[in-house]
Amino acid sequence: MRILLALLLIGLAVAGFATGSIGTQAEENLGTAAIAPVQAVPRPDTCLNAADLREAVADKRVIEPVAAIRAARKVIPRAEIQRARLCRHDDALVYLLTALRRDGQFVHVMVDATTGEVSGP
């Protein structure tokens, strides 16, 4: 009996999604969310590899990745930094940091690799 009830509930849920009467929470909140401005993010193929990063830091051309992470944490204090890459962007080097906010959203933060200033979240 429990299996029959479970199958019935699953069937109703699938039918609701198929007819569009049940939407996801993201679709429901889409109309109320403010649209953030689109910012150009460096392409992954313009990022330096680990050896080039170490060389740039050793030559004092860029700040260390730890300093870039500290600068990003001032903008997004409780986010967890997932990835830090050194990339070329507009004839300059920037750190592209990917952070996971507490609400589950990923955020990209660009930090100027020579000055340590945050270019934009």
Side-chain angles (χ1 to χ4, degrees), residues 54-73:
R54 285 191 299 272
E55 181 181 334
V57 170
D59 293 343
K60 304 285 186 196
R61 289 184 285 150
V62 298
I63 62 173
E64 294 185 12
V66 173
I69 291 171
R70 284 188 194 124
R73 285 201 174 134

Side-chain angles (χ1 to χ4, degrees), residues 39-43 46 87-94 110 112 119:
Q39 183 179 17
V41 176
R43 294 190 328 253
T46 62
C87 302
R88 289 184 181 88
H89 181 66
D90 294 337
D91 298 330
L93 290 174
V94 296
M110 283 195 308
D112 188 326
S119 301

Side-chain angles (χ1 to χ4, degrees), residues 99-107:
L100 178 62
R101 294 189 318 199
R102 292 198 178 233
D103 63 357
Q105 297 293 320
F106 282 98
V107 180

Side-chain angles (χ1 to χ4, degrees), residues 2 7 19 27 33 35 42 49 54 57 62 73 75 90-91 99-100 111:
R2 289 181 186 173
L7 288 174
T19 60
E27 291 170 346
I35 298 175
N49 59 26
R54 285 191 299 272
V57 170
V62 298
R73 285 201 174 134
V75 177
D90 294 337
D91 298 330
L100 178 62
V111 177

Side-chain angles (χ1 to χ4, degrees), residues 9-27:
L9 289 175
I10 292 171
L12 289 173
V14 170
F17 281 117
T19 60
S21 62
I22 300 175
T24 63
Q25 185 175 4
E27 291 170 346

